[in-house]
Amino acid sequence: DLSTLLLIHDSYGLPADVILMLVQYAASSGKGNMRYIEKVALNWADEGITTHMQAEEKLQQLTDMGRAWHTVQRAAGLPERAPTEREKGYAACWVLQWKFSPAMLKLAYDRCVDATGVFKANYMNKILERWHREGISTSEQAQAETKQRREARKEANQPSFDLEAYERDSLFDTIGGNH
């Protein structure tokens, strides 16, 4: 373990205080093994995180993303599990950027599962992305939007001709003299 920490310091260029912050974060999140710490240290070095302030900002970002995922998890009733990187990114966007409430997350989750049968983060993202773009932030607005979309689909599926008028004015009727 000490040789890994020395490697992080000497080869990756992370100062001791940043390494200690990383180790503390890893331990507090239940990932205190040296392979994880080394992997994160390498990522931090690649991102240029070499100061105490940069490490604090990165840890705050990671903490916020974790909280965002837990908000989505609780709202949707998902089982306790580690999210994928994509799921963490979606959750951060939905909760931290777009500021969707747990009620709206639950509604989007329900629509996702109703349509697909399972939780699909990318499908749920499309729903929330549309709501964000259209300024939909309450369940009432979402229900109105759904009703509007259904009506638009109904209109789009209506025949563009009058079948009775077609039959009345049919060429076959005029040829036979039944007009």
Side-chain angles (χ1 to χ4, degrees), residues 69 81-89:
W69 171 249
R81 64 172 176 79
T84 66
E85 287 301 313
R86 181 178 286 174
E87 288 171 336
K88 279 194 284 189

Side-chain angles (χ1 to χ4, degrees), residues 72 90-96 98-100 105 121 124-125 128:
V72 170
Y90 281 145
C93 182
W94 302 338
V95 175
L96 303 174
W98 296 345
K99 309 285 188 204
F100 278 109
L105 295 170
M124 190 168 152
N125 186 60
L128 292 169

